[in-house]
């Protein structure tokens, strides 16, 4: 039990402390059977991505350096002034830099900065700045930019990326995850709300490993699936999640799928890096193995 400077009592279940809270360690903690919504993730330090997630209210963390508690989106420090009285400034997301990292992770050969800029819909100067900030993780040969170590770049992106963000909507249906996803994609296409498949269903098409148990679809706008075999549900209990993301680059890097069959239809998948992020942080007990399979696909261990 913790008491805030305002006198509010918080019930928390501390996780085993780690040296550094990263996306991997957070994922491992949240799937621990002894931790739930009251989990307090403890670490000596934390990556910027983990801190941003805590400030957004999706996780609770306690760090030693700097000494701070972030609970319910509110930051508490050793200062006497209650942090809830201080206005919170929205931080600027590095969408372009993260997209450049995803581009380089998915590329099989060097690319000119002008080509990367055109694909991502940004300026060549923005791409150049992103490349400079990545330092030794990438190199710019005469024939283009290429990563020097995909495994290290993937780890860097995972720990730095704060997620697609945006508003999520939970839905429940008795159909399979693939059938639910197909229904949502079909309706979104009819309404010209560009759908992008991620999560279990996309992972199963890119690097099959686990049976899809939940659908996830990114959309360019909200959609009402009530009446199409779905009922609204809390996100943590939903069998399908639709999301209108804040990350504007998701549709710039995609995986076109022409799957056909009884339960599938031609569709557009999120790129493997975004699918990897969603699977790793999805919360299912078998998600780690599926994420590892995707990581092998991205790094080049599988075709």
């Amino acid at each position: 039990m913790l008491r805030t400077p305002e006198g509010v009592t918080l019930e928390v279940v501390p996780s085993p402390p780690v040296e550094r809270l990263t996306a991997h360690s957070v994922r491992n903690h949240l799937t621990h059977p002894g931790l739930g919504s009251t989990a307090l993730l403890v670490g000596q330090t934390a990556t910027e991505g983990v801190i941003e997630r805590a400030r957004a209210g999706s996780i609770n963390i306690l760090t030693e350096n700097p000494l701070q508690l972030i609970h319910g989106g509110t930051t508490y420090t050793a200062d006497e002034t209650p942090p809830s009285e201080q206005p919170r400034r929205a931080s600027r997301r590095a969408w372009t830099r993260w997209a450049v990292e995803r581009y380089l992770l998915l590329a099989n050969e060097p690319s000119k900065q002008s080509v990367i800029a055109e694909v991502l819909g940004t300026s060549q100067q923005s791409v150049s700045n992103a490349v400079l900030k990545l330092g030794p993780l990438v190199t710019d040969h005469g024939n283009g930019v290429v990563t020097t170590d995909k495994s290290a770049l993937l780890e860097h992106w995972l720990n730095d990326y704060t997620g697609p963000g945006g508003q999520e909507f939970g839905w429940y249906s008795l159909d399979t995850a693939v059938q639910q996803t197909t229904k949502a994609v079909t309706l979104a296409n009819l309404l010209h709300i560009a759908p992008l498949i991620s999560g279990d269903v996309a992972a199963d098409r890119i690097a099959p490993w686990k049976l899809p148990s939940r659908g996830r679809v990114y959309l360019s706008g909200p959609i009402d699936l009530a009446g199409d075999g779905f009922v609204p549900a809390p996100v943590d209990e939903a069998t399908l999640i639709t999301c209108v993301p804040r990350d504007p680059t998701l549709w710039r890097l995609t995986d076109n799928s022409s799957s056909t069959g009884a339960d599938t239809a031609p569709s557009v998948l999120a790129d493997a890096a975004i699918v990897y992020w969603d699977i790793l942080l999805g919360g299912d007990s078998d998600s780690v193995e599926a994420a590892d399979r995707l990581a092998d696909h991205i790094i080049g261990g599988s075709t």
Side-chain angles (χ1 to χ4, degrees):
M1 306 296 287
L2 300 177
R3 187 178 297 277
T4 71
E6 302 93 330
V8 178
T9 300
L10 307 174
E11 180 182 358
V12 299
V13 179
S15 70
V18 295
E19 182 175 347
R20 185 169 178 80
L21 288 171
T22 65
H24 274 298
S25 64
V26 168
R27 168 64 178 75
N28 292 336
H29 284 320
L30 294 182
T31 56
H32 192 280
L35 298 176
S37 60
T38 58
L40 178 64
L41 309 181
V42 183
Q44 187 172 7
T45 62
T47 65
E48 186 61 32
V50 168
I51 293 174
E52 287 296 332
R53 289 180 61 197
R55 288 173 177 167
S58 61
I59 56 176
N60 304 317
I61 67 172
L62 173 65
T63 63
E64 179 183 1
N65 185 22
L67 182 59
Q68 63 179 346
L69 166 70
I70 306 180
H71 187 282
T74 299
T75 302
Y76 301 93
T77 66
D79 298 334
E80 295 182 359
T81 303
S84 60
E85 301 297 326
Q86 302 170 356
R88 193 189 310 171
R89 292 184 299 175
S91 58
R92 186 177 180 181
R93 301 293 194 268
W95 300 126
T96 297
R97 175 164 55 81
W98 292 327
V100 170
E101 292 181 58
R102 284 162 42 220
Y103 181 101
L104 295 175
L105 284 169
L106 302 171
N108 294 319
E109 56 187 21
S111 299
K112 296 286 189 181
Q113 292 189 15
S114 58
V115 173
I116 299 175
E118 182 178 0
V119 171
L120 299 182
T122 188
S123 66
Q124 186 171 339
Q125 183 61 45
S126 296
V127 174
S128 178
N129 291 338
V131 170
L132 287 174
K133 289 182 179 179
L134 291 174
L137 290 173
V138 299
T139 183
D140 191 350
H141 297 299
N143 59 339
V145 183
V146 66
T147 177
T148 55
D149 187 338
K150 278 196 174 186
S151 179
L153 181 59
L154 179 61
E155 183 72 17
H156 177 273
W157 174 80
L158 178 67
N159 289 328
D160 195 41
Y161 189 52
T162 58
Q167 188 171 8
E168 294 184 336
F169 303 86
W171 304 94
Y172 181 84
S173 170
L174 296 177
D175 290 335
T176 67
V178 173
Q179 290 171 332
Q180 292 180 51
T181 300
T182 300
K183 282 186 179 180
V185 166
T186 299
L187 182 58
N189 281 326
L190 287 174
L191 298 175
H192 303 288
I193 302 174
L196 198 59
I197 300 174
S198 187
D200 289 359
V201 176
D204 189 52
R205 296 189 190 177
I206 297 173
W209 182 260
K210 61 170 289 192
L211 184 66
S213 59
R214 183 188 306 184
R216 184 175 184 84
V217 181
Y218 290 107
L219 301 168
S220 59
I223 188 174
D224 186 3
L225 296 176
D228 288 272
F230 294 91
V231 293
V235 171
D236 57 353
E237 300 175 8
T239 54
L240 173 72
I241 296 174
T242 59
C243 176
V244 182
R246 289 186 60 196
D247 189 341
T249 70
L250 294 194
W251 280 266
R252 292 292 180 174
L253 296 170
T254 60
D255 184 346
N256 292 321
S257 171
S258 58
S259 300
T260 57
D263 294 331
T264 60
S267 54
V268 179
L269 310 182
D271 66 74
I274 292 296
V275 177
Y276 173 69
W277 168 274
D278 286 332
I279 288 293
L280 190 60
L281 302 180
D284 294 337
S285 58
D286 55 354
S287 293
V288 173
E289 292 84 355
D292 288 343
R293 185 85 171 200
L294 276 167
D296 290 341
H297 174 85
I298 294 169
I299 294 169
S302 61
T303 58

